[in-house]
Amino acid sequence: MTTSSMAQALNAALRDALREDERVLVFGEDVGPLGGVFRITDGLTKEFGEERCFDTPLAEAGIVGLAVGLAMGGFRPVIEMQFDAFAYPAFEQIASHVAKLRNRTRGRLSLPMVIRIPYAGGIGGVEHHCDSSEAYYAHTPGLKVVTPATADDAYWLLRDAIADPDPVIFMEPKRLYWSKGETSVEDRRAAGFGRAAVLREGRDATLVAYGPTVPVALEAAEAAARDGRDLEVVDLRTIVPFDDATVVSSVRKTGRCVVIQEAQGFAGVGAEIAARVQERCFHSLAAPVLRVTGFDIPYPPPILEHSHLPDADRVLDAVDRLQFDDEPDLLYLAGEAS
Amino acid sequence: MSVDVLLPSPVPVRFVAEDGTAVPPPTGYRVPEGERLLEGFRRMVVGRRFDRQATALTKQGRLAVYPSSRGQEACQIAGVLALRDDDWLFPTYRDSVALVARGLDPVEVLTLLRGGWHCGYDPAATRVAPQCTPLATQTIHAVGMADALRRKGEDGVVMAFIGDGGTSEGDFHEALNYAAVLRAPVVFFVQNNKYAISVPLAKQSAAPALAYKGIGYGIRSEQVDGNDLVAVLAVLDAAVEHARTGGGPFLVEAHTYRMDPHTNADDASRYREKQEVERWEAADPLARLETYLRERGLLDADAVGAAHEAAEKFAARVREDMNADPEADPFELFEHVFAEATPQLREQRALLASELED
Ligand SMILES: Cc1ncc(C[n+]2csc(CCOP(=O)(O)OP(=O)(O)O)c2C)c(N)n1
Ligand SMILES: [Mg+2]
């Protein structure tokens, strides 16, 4: 076990992938000598040369389009969009080509490429630097969407993403870049990709979170425990593919569920999760599945972002609304009601 | 228009050498009147002081971030001197000095970078679009605005600022093409400060100069020494007149240099040598203009002193006005999403209200 920040873990994953597989290429804006604005590619040009890790001209559609061609030509591009909102110029390439090439060619062509996107807020960033854009990608068939919440997951999920035969949108919660965690030396390849993690076991309700809100869920569970309420915390890790099994078995056990996302709520990933839980766990549910999300507003300016971001208090308010005082529900859960 | 008319000068247009002496004036451009050059000098002095103050405010935690334009003052100031009050300006995040020089309230200008709101001034009243961060996207808006002015029979001109890096974005090329096809009265003003964050110009473009990007679209183009206010103003005057009198769009590339890091949060030592920055000190636009104006008897020590005094006063006011937390009303978050808040937004507003009561 060693301790590292998520940023360091991502850097290590890129370095190891470049070392192990000659086809891996890293490129984007400022990823070369600067090492990326978040330093995720720090030192890679120095170690692997400009051929393997390089700065492109400033054009996101170009970066993604170039990656499509390189992937068609046998390489494995791992590209960086500098910030969430600056990936939008590339959306056409992503939605019309990256997501569809396998399908259009009946599997004759595939695009093993990774698009890394630092996303979401909580760092006091000005406009266009804090968007939660995961739903756009998750809604696009043909894209896998991954978002780690710990340094260890960041390392292994990125390694898995690079090894994956299909395109992966790798969303990095930028406010967790500097949070430290243990990273294991044991090989955890393919252990987390497509599998949610139960980060904390509990009996009373399930909190489902991903990316930037995972620490929020853990903090809420911690606080609830002091009030005698035992919450389970599930970290999705990958949004696509979605791990129904882990989420469903947790909610069937607890009978209550709160879904937490930083993104605006309307038509978001949380809505999908709530629907899936409700479809699969209806008879186990003692209360409606609730969502705790950001508001349906453009991401606020720095001085107001704390009003927008879901915090542990907002989560606990939702937990309080899970009808714990309803007699029939308790009986139902105890198996005493029909 | 023939190719020769469209092509930029093979070397950047220059009126004043680095040491402040006048060089033989290039043909086709008029030397701006002395009074405008003096005004340019005064605003450059204030602009530079404002820029330094803003950088200082980041250190005191009064600004979330500040992208300095130190070294680019000739562009910042000439860009606004070339415009009339009823012309429009489409600036980027780097152009706060230009906005202040146009007379916008400095606190309103800094609202974005202070983190108080996304745009602090009234674009309609000032005819200045919100400072634009998504690169190059403002250039096509400028074309639309120019077309709007033309349709309304106004003889206003629109100036779009953009950086060297931004010219690589697809939007810039679409804007050039649209402007040319629509013969829109728009001036594209590229401040080529040699870097896009860490990426040097050589990695950005293989064009002989960015000004050559105009010819393929049929746009008249010019390149100019961006640290020579006399030259930048002369060329922009010509560009604005060309656009205003129905000649269509004009592309101007100004060769300048970003003296400071990309923003206060950037570490430029990772990608450029100190010596390179020092070499550009010799090309300082303000010192050059001062020497030039003094030698021509347009400026004396008293006037220089007065300009600096005015700049100090201005900076002191900015310091004072910024020395308080900006007003922040969390309920305003729900106010400007639509003309009328949806039922869902009203619900969310109520949720926030209940949270704030606890
Ligand atoms: C579409 C888009 N991509 C990326 C960015 C991030 N970014 C902000 S400034 C910048 C460099 C811009 O360089 P340039 O156009 O030369 O302008 P300068 O900052 O030098 O004034 C980058 C890459 C952005 N703002 N918008
Ligand atoms: Mg630049």
Side-chain angles (χ1 to χ4, degrees):
Chain A
M1 286 279 186
T2 51
T3 304
S4 79
S5 68
M6 183 183 285
Q8 289 167 328
L10 291 165
N11 180 260
L14 291 173
R15 177 164 300 163
D16 292 348
L18 281 159
R19 255 185 218 146
E20 275 176 32
D21 187 343
E22 276 188 348
R23 298 168 304 170
V24 173
L25 301 175
V26 172
F27 54 93
E29 292 158 7
D30 302 287
V31 300
L34 182 67
V37 293
F38 292 107
R39 306 291 185 261
I40 307 302
T41 57
D42 191 23
L44 300 183
T45 297
K46 199 163 179 212
E47 181 169 345
F48 299 97
E50 291 254 11
E51 272 290 290
R52 307 278 314 277
C53 176
F54 57 94
D55 290 327
T56 61
L58 218 172
E60 294 75 14
I63 295 167
V64 176
L66 184 73
V68 169
L70 279 162
M72 287 168 72
F75 286 89
R76 291 188 163 251
V78 183
I79 58 182
E80 177 174 300
M81 299 282 104
Q82 199 160 76
F83 283 86
D84 31 65
F86 305 144
Y88 300 150
F91 197 72
E92 180 188 29
Q93 288 290 341
I94 295 173
S96 297
H97 296 290
V98 175
K100 290 180 179 166
L101 197 70
R102 174 184 295 285
N103 185 260
R104 288 166 62 219
T105 62
R106 293 188 158 120
R108 291 185 179 104
L109 291 177
S110 61
L111 291 177
M113 59 187 268
V114 178
I115 305 178
R116 296 182 34 249
I117 308 179
Y119 84 115
I123 60 160
V126 296
E127 59 171 357
H128 313 296
H129 291 78
C130 297
D131 281 14
S132 288
S133 45
E134 68 273 19
Y136 307 137
Y137 305 110
H139 192 62
T140 304
L143 300 176
K144 293 182 175 172
V145 183
V146 178
T147 180
T150 67
D152 200 38
D153 277 346
Y155 179 87
W156 290 109
L157 290 173
L158 185 51
R159 296 300 309 271
D160 289 340
I162 295 169
D164 202 273
D166 283 307
V168 177
I169 310 292
F170 195 88
M171 309 212 53
E172 303 168 2
K174 60 177 90 76
R175 67 163 128 149
L176 302 184
Y177 270 149
W178 305 279
S179 67
K180 302 236 171 188
E182 311 263 276
T183 46
S184 50
V185 268
E186 126 211 33
D187 193 330
R188 288 189 44 237
R189 224 173 286 236
F193 202 92
R195 283 186 216 164
V198 178
L199 295 186
R200 179 189 173 107
E201 298 202 23
R203 280 168 299 131
D204 296 339
T206 302
L207 305 180
V208 181
Y210 60 88
T213 55
V214 170
V216 177
L218 288 169
E219 187 194 333
E222 202 69 36
R226 290 194 291 272
D227 289 343
R229 211 159 259 168
D230 191 15
L231 305 183
E232 182 143 309
V233 176
V234 176
D235 169 7
L236 286 185
R237 298 201 282 211
T238 60
I239 297 170
V240 181
F242 188 82
D243 182 0
D244 279 310
T246 300
V247 173
V248 164
S249 82
S250 172
V251 178
R252 284 196 182 147
K253 178 180 77 176
T254 62
R256 291 178 168 84
C257 179
V258 176
V259 182
I260 309 159
Q261 73 180 30
E262 178 176 321
Q264 59 277 19
F266 199 87
V269 169
E272 176 65 27
I273 301 168
R276 304 186 80 79
V277 168
Q278 174 280 132
E279 284 162 358
R280 288 164 179 74
C281 307
F282 183 72
H283 294 289
S284 316
L285 283 171
V289 179
L290 297 181
R291 281 175 293 162
V292 172
T293 72
F295 301 125
D296 294 317
I297 57 173
Y299 196 84
I303 56 163
L304 288 173
E305 71 176 351
H306 61 276
S307 296
H308 169 72
L309 293 171
D311 59 6
D313 283 338
R314 196 176 289 168
V315 174
L316 292 170
D317 286 348
V319 170
D320 283 343
R321 288 188 287 126
L322 290 175
Q323 306 182 4
F324 283 102
D325 300 330
D326 268 9
E327 238 14 77
D329 292 331
L330 291 171
L331 291 175
Y332 177 91
L333 271 186
E336 289 169 27
S338 54
Chain B
M1 251 185 266
S2 86
V3 168
D4 291 348
V5 176
L6 298 177
L7 277 173
S9 146
V11 291
V13 170
R14 179 184 260 194
F15 282 67
V16 182
E18 284 188 5
D19 64 3
T21 55
V23 297
T27 53
Y29 297 104
R30 281 192 305 270
V31 184
E33 292 157 27
E35 189 38 54
R36 287 177 80 218
L37 296 178
L38 271 180
E39 187 56 28
F41 174 77
R42 288 191 288 262
R43 291 198 207 181
M44 277 171 77
V45 172
V46 174
R48 174 165 296 183
R49 184 65 189 84
F50 168 80
D51 189 81
R52 192 148 59 81
Q53 184 59 57
T55 296
L57 285 169
T58 62
K59 301 200 173 90
Q60 294 146 22
R62 288 296 179 197
L63 285 181
V65 63
Y66 182 70
S68 166
S69 61
R70 189 166 72 84
Q72 301 177 216
E73 292 89 352
C75 298
Q76 294 285 302
I77 303 306
V80 296
L81 281 183
L83 295 179
R84 293 193 322 220
D85 282 350
D86 61 340
D87 291 332
W88 270 83
L89 178 63
F90 281 67
T92 77
Y93 51 88
R94 189 159 319 276
D95 303 315
S96 300
V97 166
L99 270 49
V100 169
R102 191 166 157 98
L104 271 64
D105 179 80
V107 175
E108 290 184 5
V109 169
L110 292 175
T111 297
L112 165 71
L113 301 166
R114 186 187 207 184
W117 200 263
H118 312 296
C119 177
Y121 53 86
D122 178 350
T126 56
R127 296 207 161 202
V128 178
Q131 284 181 281
C132 186
T133 298
L135 296 166
T137 54
Q138 77 281 10
T139 55
I140 187 70
H141 305 160
V143 176
M145 177 61 82
D147 198 45
L149 296 178
R150 182 193 61 78
R151 285 166 188 274
K152 292 189 288 188
E154 295 182 27
D155 73 342
V157 164
V158 181
M159 178 141 8
F161 282 18
I162 184 170
D164 45 306
T167 68
S168 297
E169 290 278 9
D171 280 13
F172 176 65
H173 294 263
E174 295 182 21
L176 290 180
N177 191 45
Y178 268 65
V181 170
L182 296 173
R183 281 183 80 84
V186 57
V187 176
F188 300 100
F189 183 38
V190 181
Q191 291 176 78
N192 173 1
N193 63 8
K194 307 297 179 287
Y195 285 91
I197 308 186
S198 72
V199 181
L201 187 66
K203 283 195 200 167
Q204 201 60 253
S205 173
L210 298 176
Y212 286 90
K213 293 195 177 193
I215 179 87
Y217 299 101
I219 292 187
R220 208 170 136 184
S221 309
E222 188 56 282
Q223 53 174 330
V224 61
D225 181 336
N227 286 13
D228 174 359
L229 176 105
V230 185
V232 181
L233 189 54
V235 169
L236 287 179
D237 278 348
V240 166
E241 186 178 303
H242 173 87
R244 199 183 308 284
T245 53
F250 204 115
L251 169 65
V252 177
E253 176 194 9
H255 297 271
T256 180
Y257 193 79
R258 196 195 74 208
M259 297 299 288
D260 279 356
H262 174 66
T263 68
N264 54 294
D266 178 38
D267 174 8
S269 71
R270 283 177 158 255
Y271 54 83
R272 70 181 184 189
E273 303 284 338
K274 254 203 351 246
Q275 291 88 314
E276 180 185 298
V277 183
E278 282 162 13
R279 275 201 302 281
W280 277 90
E281 293 281 4
D284 181 60
L286 192 50
R288 191 190 311 194
L289 183 64
E290 183 178 331
T291 309
Y292 173 82
L293 292 174
R294 276 181 184 245
E295 278 181 9
R296 313 194 85 216
L298 288 164
L299 192 68
D300 57 20
D302 284 351
V304 172
H308 284 281
E309 211 172 290
E312 284 311 320
K313 264 202 197 127
F314 190 82
R317 200 198 116 197
V318 171
R319 219 167 30 239
E320 203 169 297
D321 291 350
M322 296 290 293
N323 195 24
D325 289 330
E327 275 176 40
D329 172 11
F331 297 112
E332 201 184 351
L333 291 175
F334 304 97
E335 265 172 39
H336 317 291
V337 185
F338 298 106
E340 195 181 330
T342 59
Q344 290 74 27
L345 282 170
R346 291 203 297 273
E347 214 173 84
Q348 292 167 27
R349 188 186 196 281
L351 174 68
L352 181 63
S354 74
E355 286 182 2
L356 294 178
E357 266 167 33
D358 292 346

